[in-house]
Amino acid sequence: MLPLDSHIHAFSGRQVSERVALAGRDQTFAEMYSDPTALMVTVDEVVSQLAAGGFGGGLVSGFAFEELSNCEQQNEDLQAHCMDKLEIGIMASVNPARGGWETVARRAIDRGAAGFGELRPGSQGWSPLGPAGHHLCELSRDAGVALQWHVSERFGHEYPGKAGGI
């Protein structure tokens, strides 16, 4: 059995080319990726690196976009490009603070998502302990899929993207 990488962030080629526009619409994305030297890798690059490193696959996590349309676009792009590559699972993007999020979540599950993540309730405007968090947990439990949370330590140095998790 080959090892798996359980925490990969990848983007579609479209998202990489739309970096500036995405940064203009999402504060947390801008904090982490507005600098053109901030690394954004595509699914094809991930597959190449996993194979070169002797990995059998991995788990690609979506970015916790604020706007639901960006979450849905990322889910569609990643699911279209990942499902036939090695053993790559997808953690779909959702934002329970936005109306219609459950439809996006169910569509991702129907298309084979392994769960939802990386979840960043602080930067998306919802509480993991509030009604939206409870509803997401119930939906995930009922579907038998996982939740992947962004967790930040309260100590240590600051870095882009540290805030916004649990």
Side-chain angles (χ1 to χ4, degrees), residues 136-152:
L136 175 61
C137 288
E138 289 168 356
L139 185 147
S140 299
R141 179 200 62 215
D142 293 347
V145 299
L147 298 175
Q148 180 188 45
W149 302 90
H150 174 77
V151 179
S152 296

Side-chain angles (χ1 to χ4, degrees), residues 2-166:
L2 295 174
L4 301 175
D5 185 330
S6 65
H7 193 147
I8 303 168
H9 289 284
F11 298 89
S12 71
R14 177 169 60 168
Q15 289 172 314
V16 173
S17 67
E18 294 177 357
R19 174 197 300 248
V20 173
L22 286 170
R25 296 190 310 259
D26 192 290
Q27 181 179 350
T28 303
F29 183 87
E31 178 185 343
M32 297 170 69
Y33 295 107
S34 63
D35 180 345
T37 64
L39 185 62
M40 290 179 70
V41 297
T42 66
V43 172
D44 288 337
E45 291 169 318
V46 167
V47 169
S48 174
Q49 290 299 310
L50 288 172
F55 285 82
L59 190 61
V60 173
S61 301
F63 187 82
F65 287 107
E66 184 178 334
E67 291 300 321
L68 195 59
S69 62
N70 291 333
C71 293
E72 188 166 28
Q73 176 190 347
Q74 182 172 49
N75 294 344
E76 290 174 6
D77 287 348
L78 291 181
Q79 287 178 309
H81 292 97
C82 288
M83 301 309 268
D84 62 344
K85 312 277 187 182
L86 297 173
E87 290 294 327
I88 302 224
I90 304 296
M91 298 299 280
S93 297
V94 293
N95 184 351
R98 300 292 185 183
W101 75 269
E102 189 176 345
T103 300
V104 171
R106 290 188 187 283
R107 186 176 302 125
I109 291 168
D110 290 345
R111 292 180 178 162
F116 303 104
E118 185 174 64
L119 299 168
R120 299 175 64 91
S123 61
Q124 290 181 306
W126 58 280
S127 169
L129 301 177
H134 287 276
H135 189 62
L136 175 61
C137 288
E138 289 168 356
L139 185 147
S140 299
R141 179 200 62 215
D142 293 347
V145 299
L147 298 175
Q148 180 188 45
W149 302 90
H150 174 77
V151 179
S152 296
E153 69 282 2
R154 292 183 181 166
F155 51 87
H157 71 284
E158 292 297 316
Y159 53 87
K162 182 173 181 176
I166 297 177

